[in-house]
C-alpha cells in the first residue's frame, strides 16, 4: 500500500479532472484517472431558497424506510392520504392496514359511541388513534419485528354539505414513535375547509395528511418548522388550522401556547384559544351558543384595573335579560398588534403574559383582529346570543376614529354596522385624568363629526358605564408597573392582583430580577 497520495487538481469551468500520483516505497506509479465531477451552476444574483420535497418524494422516503410501519384510518373524506402512499410505490413495506368506517353503526362497533353522539370530534379522533395503535401492538409482535417503529394516522372530517352552507371541518392526527423502545408521541390538529367543492377538499386533506406524517418523522426536532411544512403544496386559502397540540417524549419541551402563537403568526388562522391548562382548545367548542364577554388588552402585566374591569362588567353582564349565567364565557383577548416589540413578536414576552393569565384561571384568545368589529364578526360565527365588550375610555375613543376604517368601502358606517348590528353592548370603564377628574360615557369627547353617531349608540343603550368601580386604582397602568420593575423600584406589587407579583418574581418575568432570583 502507498504511504503518500498526492492530488493535483485542474478545474475547467464545471469539470474537475483528477490526477493521482501514487508513490510507493521502491518505485513510483503514475495513474491518470480521467473522471469528471459536475458542480452546481450558480449565478451572481442567485437567492437562497428552500427546496420543498414533492408529495411523491415524501411518501417514497417513508415507504422505503424498512422500520416505519403503521395503519391509516380515514373517515368522511375518502382515503386521500393513504392514496398518496400507494401511488408513490413501495407501500407494502409501510402500510399494515387501511380502513374507512363510513357507516355510523360500523364506526360505533369499532370505536365505541361518543357521549354527545357526534363523530367529527377530538374525542373520536383520539379513540381512533388509541384503538388502531393497540391493534398494531397486538398483531405485529415485537419478538418478530424488534426494529419496527409504529404509527397510526387518523382523520375524521365532514366536507362541505350539498347546499354549500357549511364548508366543513375535521380532526387530523398521528400517534407514532421514533424508536422501538420509546413511548408514543401525538400530534392532533383541527382544520376548517375553505374550498367550495367536496372533491377539492378531499384532495387538500390528502396533501395535509402526507405533510403531517412526513413532518412527524423527519421534522419533529423543529416543531415550528413542522408547523409551517404542513402547508407544503397548499395555500392558506384552501385550509385553516385553528388548533394543534403536541405531546409525547419528543415534544416534552414544546409549549402548546407558543404553538398557538405560531398558528396566528404564520397566517394559518385568525385566532386561537387556549385554556388555563396550557393546551389549545377549539374555539367552536368553547364559544358555541354562549353569551360572550370579552376584555381586550396587552395584560403586560395584568393589573388590578384589568381584574376590576372584568369583575364589574361581568356582574352587569349576567344581570342582562338575554344573558344566561350558566352559558356565559369570559375571554381575555390579546391581539397580535399588542404582541409586537421592536417590529417583531417577542415570544418570551407573550409567554410571560400567558403564564399570568393562566394563573388567574382565564381562557385566552390570541387574534389577528386589530379592529373590534372583526372580533365581533368572529364570535358571531359561533353564537348569536348577546355579547359584551369591556373596555377603557381610550379604546372607545379609538373605535370612533375614522382612520381605522378607510380600507372599508362603507367607512366607519360599515364597521359600526358590523359591530353594533349584533346583539352587543359595550361596558365602559372610566379613566382618571391628570387633574383628578374622571371621564365616562357622559363626558367623553369624540371627533366633532362623530359626535351625533356616538350619541345615537349611547342613547340606544349600546354603551353603558361601569359605575361600581374602585376609584383608588384608577391611576394604575401596566406601563407604570413595567417602569418600576425595570428600574428595580418597589411598590409595583400592590398594583397587581393577589399572587401575580409572586409569580413575576419567581419566574423572573418582564425582566424582574429579585435577590432570590439572582441567588438561584
Amino acid at each position: 500500500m502507498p504511504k503518500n497520495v498526492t492530488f493535483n487538481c485542474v478545474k475547467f469551468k464545471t469539470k474537475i479532472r483528477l490526477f493521482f500520483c501514487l508513490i510507493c516505497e521502491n518505485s513510483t506509479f503514475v495513474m491518470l484517472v480521467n473522471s469528471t465531477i459536475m458542480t452546481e451552476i450558480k449565478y451572481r444574483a442567485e437567492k437562497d431558497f428552500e427546496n420543498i420535497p414533492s408529495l411523491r418524494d415524501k411518501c417514497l422516503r417513508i415507504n422505503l424506510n424498512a422500520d416505519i410501519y403503521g395503519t391509516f384510518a380515514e373517515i368522511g373524506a375518502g382515503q386521500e392520504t393513504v392514496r398518496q402512499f400507494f401511488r408513490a410505490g413501495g407501500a407494502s413495506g409501510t402500510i399494515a392496514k387501511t380502513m374507512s368506517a363510513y357507516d355510523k353503526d360500523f364506526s360505533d362497533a369499532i370505536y365505541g359511541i361518543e357521549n354527545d353522539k357526534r363523530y367529527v370530534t377530538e374525542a373520536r379522533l383520539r379513540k381512533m388513534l388509541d384503538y388502531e395503535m393497540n391493534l398494531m401492538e397486538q398483531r405485529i409482535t415485537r419478538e418478530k419485528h424488534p426494529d419496527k417503529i409504529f404509527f397510526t394516522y387518523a382523520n375524521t372530517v365532514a366536507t362541505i354539505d350539498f347546499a354549500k352552507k357549511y364548508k366543513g371541518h375535521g380532526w387530523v392526527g398521528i400517534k407514532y414513535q421514533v424508536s422501538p423502545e420509546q413511548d408514543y408521541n401525538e400530534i392532533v390538529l383541527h382544520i376548517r375547509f375553505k374550498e367550495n367543492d367536496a372533491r377539492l377538499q378531499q384532495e387538500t386533506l390528502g396533501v395535509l395528511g402526507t405533510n403531517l406524517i412526513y413532518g412527524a418523522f423527519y421534522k419533529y426536532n423543529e416543531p415550528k418548522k413542522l408547523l409551517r411544512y404542513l402547508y407544503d403544496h397548499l395555500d392558506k386559502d384552501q385550509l385553516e388550522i385553528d388548533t394543534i397540540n403536541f405531546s409525547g417524549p419528543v415534544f416534552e419541551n414544546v409549549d402548546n401556547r407558543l404553538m398557538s402563537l405560531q398558528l396566528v403568526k404564520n397566517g394559518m388562522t385568525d385566532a386561537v384559544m387556549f385554556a388555563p391548562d396550557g393546551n389549545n382548545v377549539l374555539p367552536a367548542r368553547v364559544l358555541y351558543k354562549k353569551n360572550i364577554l370579552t376584555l381586550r388588552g396587552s395584560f403586560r402585566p395584568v393589573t388590578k384595573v384589568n381584574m376590576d374591569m372584568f369583575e364589574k362588567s361581568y356582574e352587569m353582564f349576567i344581570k342582562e335579560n338575554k344573558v344566561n349565567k350558566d352559558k356565559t364565557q369570559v375571554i381575555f383577548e390579546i391581539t397580535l398588534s399588542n404582541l409586537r416589540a421592536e417590529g417583531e413578536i417577542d415570544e418570551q414576552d407573550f409567554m410571560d403574559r400567558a403564564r399570568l393569565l393562566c394563573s388567574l384561571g382565564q381562557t385566552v384568545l390570541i387574534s389577528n383582529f386589530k379592529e373590534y368589529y372583526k372580533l365581533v364578526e368572529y364570535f358571531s360565527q359561533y353564537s348569536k346570543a348577546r355579547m359584551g365588550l369591556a373596555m377603557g375610555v381610550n379604546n372607545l375613543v379609538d373605535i370612533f376614529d375614522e382612520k381605522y376604517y378607510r380600507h372599508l368601502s362603507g367607512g366607519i358606517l360599515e364597521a359600526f354596522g358590523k359591530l353594533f348590528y349584533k346583539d352587543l353592548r359595550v361596558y365602559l370603564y372610566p379613566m382618571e385624568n391628570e387633574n383628578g377628574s374622571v371621564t365616562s360615557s357622559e363626558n367623553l369627547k369624540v371627533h366633532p363629526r362623530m359626535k351625533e353617531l356616538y350619541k345615537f349608540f349611547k342613547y340606544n343603550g349600546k354603551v353603558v358605564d361601569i359605575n361600581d368601580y374602585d376609584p383608588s386604582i384608577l391611576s394604575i397602568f401596566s406601563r407604570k408597573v413595567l417602569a418600576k420593575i425595570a428600574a428595580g423600584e418597589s411598590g409595583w406589587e400592590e398594583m397587581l392582583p393577589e399572587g401575580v407579583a409572586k409569580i413575576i418574581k419567581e419566574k423572573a418575568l418582564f425582566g424582574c430580577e429579585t435577590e432570590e432570583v439572582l441567588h438561584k
Side-chain angles (χ1 to χ4, degrees), residues 162-230:
F162 183 77
K164 298 188 184 297
K165 186 177 180 181
Y166 303 103
K167 287 194 174 181
H169 72 111
W171 287 91
V172 183
I174 183 172
K175 185 171 185 176
Y176 73 108
Q177 53 187 176
V178 296
S179 67
E181 304 82 15
Q182 192 186 60
D183 288 336
Y184 290 100
N185 310 285
E186 285 189 5
I187 306 174
V188 172
L189 54 100
H190 181 262
I191 61 173
R192 290 189 176 279
F193 295 111
K194 294 184 177 182
E195 294 166 307
N196 292 315
D197 182 81
R199 180 181 58 83
L200 294 177
Q201 291 181 356
Q202 291 174 357
E203 293 174 357
T204 296
L205 180 63
V207 176
L208 175 74
T210 302
N211 291 337
L212 175 61
I213 296 171
Y214 183 83
F217 280 109
Y218 294 107
K219 299 295 179 182
Y220 67 82
N221 61 324
E222 298 178 285
K224 290 182 183 178
K225 285 189 176 180
L226 190 158
L227 209 59
R228 294 201 307 273
Y229 293 158
L230 292 177

Side-chain angles (χ1 to χ4, degrees), residues 125-135 152 175 186:
L125 176 74
R126 292 189 181 277
K127 279 187 178 180
M128 293 168 68
L129 292 172
D130 292 341
Y131 177 86
E132 298 298 341
M133 186 53 71
N134 289 336
L135 219 54
T152 287
K175 185 171 185 176
E186 285 189 5

